Amino acid sequence: MRFHVTTGGATAQRTDCLMLPVYQGGPLTAAVKAADRVLGGTLAALIDSEDFRGKAGDTLLLPAAGDLPFRRVLLVGCGPRKDFDRQQLRKALSAAFGAWRKTRLKRAACFLTLERARGSDAARRARIAAEVWHASAYRFTAMKSADEEPSPAASELTIACRGNEAAAARRGLAQGDAIGQGQNLARELGNLPGNICTPSYLAQQARRLARGDRRLQLQVLDEADMRKLGMGALLSVTAGTKEPAKFIVLRYRGAAQNKAPVVLVGKGITFDAGGISLKPPPQMDEMKYDMCGAATVLGVMQAVKLLGAKLNLVGIIPSCENLPSGTATKPGDIVTSMAGKTIEILNTDAEGRLILCDALTYAKRFKPAAIIDIATLTGACLIALGRYRSGLLANSDRLARRLEKAGELADDPVWRLPIDPPYQEQLKSNFADFANVGGRDAGTITAGCFLSRFTEDQQWAHLDIAGTAWQQGPQKGGTGRPVPLLMEFLLNG
Ligand code: BES
Ligand code: MN
Ligand code: ZN
């Protein structure tokens, strides 16, 4: 998709599809009024007669007869004006792009971005437009033997802004384009099945990103390297599978060498059967998404690379499968982590924290400004927060507040949970330094407590994305979250 900005009026647009915002219950928007004048009052008549009510998500495609620079008008419902906020804008844009994709129209000019959605400026609206475009254009086709729909003609999108907003809109558009692509990469990796998207496959994807880019440098450690580093916790998880584990380190240098990087650590369990503590069969297929933390890291790297962002970033992906077998780790086994701490593995299904703790220890060598890990870590997080907000746990109030703010702005929100010392008690073990589980109570918090023991001297935050990284139901699939949150944090946080 080619994106452009226009400061021209609606009737001046040489385009195939002129997208015009309509509020439910009025008033008519400036763009509709202008188009209505050259269309002989037909738009106002349709809206007055309530043939088109402007409900959020409704669209109506109309021919533009006569000698006009635009061929079609797409009326797009935005809901009541008093409710028009970023969410409504997203909904309306999504409907508009969905309707456009069903046509053979190549070029569209969108005037929804001219409307002042609450909590947005021109840059934000442009960014949202590009993000929503990528989300509505995403289809998972990699594993389908035949196309289910014809490839759409849509190829050029112009968004409207005011005369003094062009630079801001262009910047927002570029960000949204990059973030949307990064998010789609994360969606795609999440959706790919465990037999394709293996640890080696993730390493290949990292290689593809790094190739030919001087700012990106890739290192992939194999199990022998991990053994040398003493990553006993990570290795205990991969013990039950023949599929080789990979430890992926992707460095991006876009700022001065002495500027401390942010380190992102993404959980990369490419399939989580639970190990010897085997999961029950229902919905076990969804455990292919257990590498969505890793997918987020690669999605963010993709977006940062596309933008050529002036920042330093390290992505670390510990990746393996968690399967049962005769060589698998058993409940009661005690392992030694890279940090030297011993862990009693009471439940082999609490494997995410075991691969993350060694990655968090490894992360320290980069002397990071902050470490943020991203993981589909606990079912308890789904119970606590559902699928709207990701869980946030942190040992730094400042870092937590910055992430909270970034999440709100990016419409990719989080909710902070505590990691007070009393919760640490639940990890007590009679036989090792501590256990890998803390019982049923406060499962998301005790997982955070476990991780906090490996980041004591660091600015660290943990995002539990078990609920937000994928959707169920007819839209089943990866969401690409929290790529928007992390990009907001990295670019403006
Ligand atoms: N990958 C799962 C967490 C998960 C569960 C994500 C459901 C998305 C949906 C994780 O490895 C896991 O199995 N966690 C256990 C921890 C428990 C054994 C302490 C869980 O949440 O049940
Ligand atoms: Mn598990
Ligand atoms: Zn898991």
Side-chain angles (χ1 to χ4, degrees), residues 49-364:
S49 63
E50 299 200 332
D51 288 339
F52 187 79
R53 290 166 191 274
K55 234 181 98 209
D58 280 359
T59 59
L60 183 62
L61 185 67
L62 302 163
D67 191 19
L68 294 168
F70 48 94
R71 287 174 52 207
R72 300 276 185 278
V73 167
L74 183 70
L75 295 182
V76 184
C78 294
R81 181 153 94 163
K82 67 170 176 37
D83 299 337
F84 195 60
D85 59 6
R86 291 195 307 260
Q87 286 306 341
Q88 293 295 95
L89 174 63
R90 284 179 188 275
K91 194 168 169 187
L93 285 169
S94 176
F97 298 154
W100 177 25
R101 281 177 50 92
K102 289 197 188 121
T103 69
R104 301 311 300 160
L105 303 169
K106 290 193 181 116
R107 295 180 304 168
C110 177
F111 278 72
L112 277 65
T113 47
L114 221 44
E115 297 303 309
R116 293 194 164 90
R118 203 181 311 126
S120 75
D121 55 16
R124 179 67 54 184
R125 292 193 290 275
R127 172 165 150 182
I128 287 175
E131 275 179 29
V132 172
W133 164 259
H134 284 293
S136 34
Y138 179 77
R139 297 286 182 283
F140 184 75
T141 56
M143 300 272 111
K144 303 261 192 192
S145 60
D147 288 345
E148 288 176 354
E149 49 183 300
S151 61
S155 63
E156 211 173 314
L157 174 62
T158 300
I159 63 138
C161 67
R162 291 180 177 71
N164 57 348
E165 296 172 340
R170 253 181 226 114
R171 183 166 25 87
L173 211 44
Q175 291 183 351
D177 188 12
I179 294 166
Q181 290 183 56
Q183 208 174 350
N184 280 358
L185 172 62
R187 283 191 179 98
E188 183 76 3
L189 293 172
N191 290 338
L192 283 168
N195 61 327
I196 305 284
C197 186
T198 57
S200 303
Y201 185 90
L202 290 176
Q204 260 176 45
Q205 293 302 304
R207 193 160 296 123
R208 188 182 56 78
L209 281 175
R211 190 170 299 139
D213 190 328
R214 287 175 45 249
R215 292 164 305 188
L216 277 162
Q217 181 198 336
L218 174 72
Q219 206 183 352
V220 179
L221 310 187
D222 60 19
E223 289 174 27
D225 300 321
M226 294 179 229
R227 206 157 291 118
K228 272 183 227 137
L229 286 163
M231 295 183 166
L234 198 170
L235 289 167
S236 77
V237 177
T238 199
T241 180
K242 292 207 170 93
E243 190 65 42
K246 300 287 169 189
F247 192 90
I248 304 163
V249 184
L250 191 53
R251 281 189 88 159
Y252 174 89
R253 289 190 180 88
Q257 215 172 31
N258 59 4
K259 189 157 187 298
V262 169
V263 178
L264 301 179
V265 177
K267 173 178 174 183
I269 296 290
T270 57
F271 190 76
D272 180 12
I276 296 297
S277 313
L278 190 62
K279 286 183 181 295
Q283 287 160 33
M284 207 209 269
D285 64 288
E286 293 192 349
M287 284 302 128
K288 71 175 180 177
Y289 294 116
D290 212 17
M291 35 52 69
C292 281
T296 298
V297 172
L298 292 173
V300 167
M301 279 292 178
Q302 159 97 304
V304 162
K305 170 187 157 122
L306 284 169
L307 287 170
K310 293 188 173 52
L311 50 89
N312 292 333
L313 183 66
V314 181
I316 300 181
I317 298 173
S319 181
C320 68
E321 294 181 333
N322 185 26
L323 297 185
S325 82
T327 59
T329 296
K330 305 169 289 299
D333 285 2
I334 296 177
V335 299
T336 304
S337 62
M338 183 179 171
K341 300 178 201 249
T342 60
I343 305 164
E344 185 185 15
I345 300 178
L346 291 176
N347 189 323
T348 64
D349 198 11
E351 85 297 340
R353 61 199 79 183
L354 294 171
I355 67 168
L356 289 172
C357 72
D358 282 342
L360 290 168
T361 301
Y362 187 89
K364 293 182 190 176

Side-chain angles (χ1 to χ4, degrees), residues 20 28 31-32 35-36 39-48 62 73 75:
L20 302 175
L28 289 183
V32 166
D36 197 42
L39 288 167
T42 49
L43 299 181
L46 268 171
I47 295 166
D48 279 347
L62 302 163
V73 167
L75 295 182

